[in-house]
Amino acid sequence: MRPLDTHALMLFCSVARCLNFRQAAQQLHMTQPPLSRAIRQLEERLGARLFERDTHGVALTDAGRTLLPQAQQILALLDAAAASLKRDAVPARLRLGLTSSVEAGLFQPLLCALEAQLACRLELTAAPSPRLVAAVRRGQLDAAMIALPSATPELAVMALRREPMLLALPSGHRLARKRKLALADLAGEAVYWFERARQPAFFDYCQQLFDRHGFAPRWLREPHDHHVLLGEVAAGKGVALLAASFRALRRDGVVYRPLLEGDELAVGIGLVWQAQALHPGLALLRELAAATLAAPLDANAPEALP
């Protein structure tokens, strides 16, 4: 039997730290007699006493003081080796959140590239940006594509693009004859808009711009499902302000028009992750996100008039 092993060194360091066998046993979740036996066996194998025991307490001997820093260094090296192996191991999955503030097809080129190049399984979660930010902070997601501005304390953020705002309106609406609209054209209209709780930072940002332009229409609560929203628009119940990517959703009875103030109201798209995260897939994710999402949509290109 070798005179030293990691278990014996761990027990020795625990007693040396406490200088009390009872307390050390409690911290090690064991009883005192087996601990005392293990220390005696270690001393016998080394041929040296490590502790002086008397009625006044426990103290390290000269041999114990010599062994302690070396034992601590050995255990620290083993911990570092285990941590490096864990860090370098390829995780089984990359958990990525996708904001519902833009049309899901916007992320398709990124997802296809990730599926082709990622060395682990890709797991996706779609949700409003505040929920995604909270999940990244709690470690429930490795990263998330979110709408900006958003409150992102303690997270790393990479801004990728801006999505201009456009208008969805019934194809038979009087304003559908115009190639480009302004907020002033919507005076007196019923306008669908999202609730503040879904995206507080962006809601407040837009509200400041609405106030600056004196824009105060009759607001309608926007349905969470954008297909339902477009059905409401097609039915003539109101018009909707949407990020430009939603123009990819074709619906009979709905047309899209660029908005003069669309760039002012643009929603940003960014990638967030924990700055200290060690997931090896994050570097590839950042690279592919920049490559596939850098070019904004041309929201100023009008559709053909019906």
Side-chain angles (χ1 to χ4, degrees):
M1 180 183 295
R2 291 184 179 182
L4 289 176
D5 61 73
T6 55
H7 181 67
L9 289 179
M10 184 267 293
L11 297 181
F12 163 70
C13 288
S14 295
V15 176
R17 183 171 57 252
C18 297
L19 291 178
N20 184 298
F21 277 79
R22 181 180 56 80
Q23 291 180 8
Q26 289 175 344
Q27 292 183 7
L28 293 166
H29 304 289
M30 59 189 300
T31 58
Q32 184 175 337
L35 176 59
S36 298
R37 275 197 307 273
I39 295 299
R40 281 198 301 271
Q41 291 170 358
L42 176 61
E43 290 175 326
E44 290 170 2
R45 288 188 307 214
L46 291 172
R49 290 180 63 81
L50 300 174
F51 297 100
E52 293 289 354
R53 310 165 182 82
D54 57 32
T55 56
H56 299 293
V58 177
L60 283 166
T61 63
D62 289 343
R65 283 190 291 271
T66 298
L67 177 61
L68 180 59
Q70 299 177 69
Q72 291 172 329
Q73 184 178 13
I74 291 170
L75 294 175
L77 286 172
L78 290 171
D79 288 342
S84 67
L85 289 173
K86 182 177 180 181
R87 181 176 63 247
D88 295 338
V90 177
R93 58 184 179 169
L94 176 69
R95 301 163 300 171
L96 178 63
L98 301 176
T99 180
S100 55
S101 296
V102 295
E103 203 277 317
L106 178 69
F107 300 119
Q108 199 56 43
L110 169 63
L111 301 182
C112 289
L114 283 172
E115 292 282 5
Q117 300 183 46
L118 200 60
C120 59
R121 184 174 73 255
L122 182 63
E123 290 187 1
L124 302 177
T125 299
S129 297
R131 283 172 50 192
L132 297 178
V133 168
V136 173
R137 291 184 65 195
R138 289 194 296 262
Q140 296 169 334
L141 290 174
D142 299 303
M145 306 295 307
I146 65 167
L148 299 174
S150 286
T152 55
E154 304 169 9
L155 295 182
V157 182
M158 182 171 71
L160 294 165
R161 66 187 284 147
R162 284 169 57 81
E163 286 268 294
M165 199 70 68
L166 50 68
L167 191 70
L169 64 163
S171 55
H173 196 284
R174 60 181 179 82
L175 295 175
R177 294 191 296 270
K178 300 185 69 172
R179 289 187 175 274
K180 194 167 190 176
L181 299 169
L183 291 176
D185 294 323
L186 304 181
E189 297 289 336
V191 179
Y192 284 101
W193 193 238
F194 63 93
E195 297 173 274
R196 184 180 184 277
R198 286 170 59 185
Q199 183 71 19
F202 185 61
F203 183 96
D204 294 342
Y205 167 79
C206 290
Q207 190 58 54
Q208 292 177 1
L209 291 171
F210 292 152
D211 293 342
R212 188 183 311 160
H213 288 280
F215 183 57
R218 180 164 60 90
W219 295 112
L220 300 176
R221 180 180 297 178
E222 179 183 286
H224 287 208
D225 188 318
H226 287 91
H227 291 279
V228 175
L229 170 63
L230 293 180
E232 300 283 287
V233 171
K237 297 181 179 180
V239 302
L241 292 168
L242 292 170
S245 57
F246 284 106
R247 190 164 58 180
L249 296 182
R250 299 294 179 178
R251 172 67 187 246
D252 290 342
V254 176
V255 295
Y256 300 99
R257 295 291 177 262
L259 192 64
L260 184 64
E261 299 86 358
D263 287 334
E264 289 183 80
L265 293 167
V267 57
I269 303 297
L271 178 66
V272 297
W273 67 95
Q274 288 191 21
Q276 70 276 20
L278 299 175
H279 195 297
L282 287 175
L284 177 64
L285 172 60
R286 291 192 291 267
E287 177 186 344
L288 294 179
T292 58
L293 290 165
L297 293 177
D298 184 6
N300 292 317
E303 292 182 344
L305 295 178

